[in-house]
Amino acid sequence: MKAAPAAQKRLLDLAELDSALDRLAHRRRTLPELAQIDELSARIARIATQVIAAETESGDLAREQTKAEADVDSVRSRATRDQKRLDSGQVSSPKDLASLQSEIASLSRRQSDLEEVVLEIMERRETADAQVSRLVAERDELAGTRGTAEDRRNAVFAEIDKEKGEVQARREEVAADIPADLLALYGKLREQFGVGAAMLQGARCQGCRTSLSIAEINRIRAASQEEVIRCEECRRILVRTAESGL
């Protein structure tokens, strides 16, 4: 392949701009905020699961408390009814009277036991509700921190995208100065090696940093300036300049 020396030299400008685009893409992919956002999102997801579990426990305890309180009310009503019968003097039989008094005493003990159960459930529910409040507060705090990180990420993304647009515009201007066949070869090599063209500086390829053999240097020296030279080691396009020492 042959191309004007000026067009070949423009490949170095193109490679520099492509390197700038690669650096911007790498910066966009590796922003510290991205890792921070991922970590915060994972923590928020875990806490959200814990909130659901704590709310479920609190709800179960609320229903359990309601049932226990209903049991207390039922026993209290029976005890009140029996006490009224006892106080009214309607029960005259000693046997029935003893039975009624025994039942009232039994209901009193039952009521006391149930009230203890209610108190125990209330304490457990209070603990569960406190856990819900703590987890929700922690989740909301993390969500706020994540929002701040997302704002920083978006600001840097905007900065990077603006710079990328400017570099891309300059790249299009440079690419317009390069013949289509040379540009296509450069693009193919860039896909393969990341860098499509490099300067020949002295006897060294600046793409792979390999020193060329004397025979290869002599071959390049003998080639016409229009000849497109490839590095024998990395196969990138070697661009000859005043720094090539040929």
Side-chain angles (χ1 to χ4, degrees), residues 35-235:
Q36 182 186 15
I37 290 168
D38 287 344
E39 179 188 358
L40 288 168
S41 295
R43 291 174 62 187
I44 290 170
R46 288 195 297 270
I47 291 176
T49 300
Q50 294 172 347
V51 168
I52 292 172
E55 289 177 338
T56 300
E57 182 182 2
S58 178
D60 290 344
L61 288 170
R63 287 186 290 274
E64 189 176 343
Q65 180 181 339
T66 299
K67 181 180 182 303
E69 289 174 342
D71 290 343
V72 170
D73 289 340
S74 176
V75 171
R76 183 184 294 115
S77 296
R78 287 174 58 192
T80 300
R81 183 177 64 251
D82 288 347
Q83 187 65 47
K84 286 181 178 180
R85 286 185 61 202
L86 181 65
D87 294 341
S88 68
Q90 295 177 358
V91 180
S92 57
S93 167
K95 182 179 178 180
D96 291 344
L97 185 62
S99 176
L100 184 58
Q101 290 174 332
S102 176
E103 183 178 354
I104 291 173
S106 176
L107 290 172
S108 178
R109 290 192 298 272
R110 176 61 176 162
Q111 180 179 333
S112 179
D113 291 342
L114 288 173
E115 287 173 345
E116 287 293 329
V117 171
V118 170
L119 288 174
E120 186 268 337
I121 294 172
M122 290 175 65
E123 290 175 357
R124 288 166 55 200
R125 183 182 177 187
E126 183 178 344
T127 299
D129 289 344
Q131 176 76 343
V132 170
S133 298
R134 183 187 66 78
L135 289 171
V136 168
E138 184 177 357
R139 180 196 62 191
D140 292 346
E141 181 179 358
L142 289 174
T145 302
R146 182 178 62 179
T148 300
E150 288 173 340
D151 289 342
R152 289 198 306 270
R153 176 203 62 188
N154 293 340
V156 177
F157 273 4
E159 174 189 331
I160 291 173
D161 291 345
K162 178 183 177 183
E163 186 175 352
K164 176 184 176 182
E166 294 170 351
V167 174
Q168 188 66 45
R170 293 200 300 272
R171 186 190 190 283
E172 291 174 1
E173 293 176 1
V174 171
D177 297 335
I178 301 173
D181 57 348
L182 181 60
L183 187 62
L185 175 61
Y186 167 87
K188 180 180 178 180
L189 295 174
R190 172 168 161 73
E191 288 180 2
Q192 291 178 333
F193 308 116
V195 178
M199 180 192 299
L200 175 62
Q201 190 173 39
R204 183 185 295 271
C205 169
Q206 294 303 304
C208 62
R209 302 293 180 179
T210 299
S211 294
L212 277 62
S213 65
I214 294 177
E216 182 66 10
I217 289 296
N218 289 335
R219 184 186 72 80
I220 294 173
R221 185 178 286 115
S224 70
Q225 291 297 311
E226 287 77 22
E227 186 73 27
V228 176
I229 303 297
R230 304 273 296 276
C231 174
E232 63 179 355
E233 183 67 27
C234 69
R235 304 307 297 158

Side-chain angles (χ1 to χ4, degrees), residues 4-17 170-179 182-183 186 197 239 241:
Q8 294 188 46
K9 290 177 181 178
R10 288 298 266 169
L11 288 177
L12 296 178
D13 297 329
L14 193 65
E16 182 177 352
L17 292 169
R170 293 200 300 272
R171 186 190 190 283
E172 291 174 1
E173 293 176 1
V174 171
D177 297 335
I178 301 173
L182 181 60
L183 187 62
Y186 167 87
V239 180
T241 70

Side-chain angles (χ1 to χ4, degrees), residues 23-35 157 160:
R23 288 192 296 273
L24 289 170
H26 179 266
R27 184 186 174 198
R28 204 179 198 279
R29 289 193 306 270
T30 59
L31 281 179
E33 286 79 7
L34 295 177
F157 273 4
I160 291 173

